[in-house]
Amino acid sequence: MSATSPNRQIDLGRCERSSDELDELVALARMIAYAKDTAEDVDLPGAMHCLGLALNEVLREIGDGPHDGLADVLASKGAGCLN
């Protein structure tokens, strides 16, 4: 559960998402980044590539707005293939 206000709408330009939806996308991005880091640790380049693509798509879906809990994902090596 989130400490943010329930069902608060956030405008991302092209569409609006509730804060709960954004929290779920941020959590998904964090999980994918963790899995990508783990794949890198055990040297699985195919998995790293696929997880990097998945992370890029989730981050694109989240948009450019400020989101709690996402800064560490962007700063980590898990988001190293962002373009």
Side-chain angles (χ1 to χ4, degrees):
M1 287 292 175
S2 173
T4 60
S5 61
N7 298 325
R8 179 178 51 108
Q9 296 293 311
I10 298 173
D11 182 16
L12 297 177
R14 61 184 173 170
C15 64
E16 289 186 2
R17 295 191 185 281
S18 71
S19 63
D20 288 342
E21 290 173 322
L22 284 173
D23 289 346
E24 290 176 8
L25 287 171
V26 168
L28 181 60
R30 292 173 58 86
M31 286 189 284
I32 293 170
Y34 176 78
K36 186 173 181 287
D37 285 344
T38 302
E40 184 175 346
D41 289 344
V42 294
D43 195 28
L44 297 172
M48 289 169 29
H49 175 73
C50 291
L51 290 165
L53 293 174
L55 182 57
N56 284 338
E57 291 304 313
V58 171
L59 293 175
R60 182 176 297 131
E61 191 69 25
I62 290 171
D64 295 331
H67 307 292
D68 294 336
L70 193 56
D72 59 333
V73 172
L74 296 174
S76 76
K77 61 184 174 183
C81 69
L82 296 175
N83 288 326

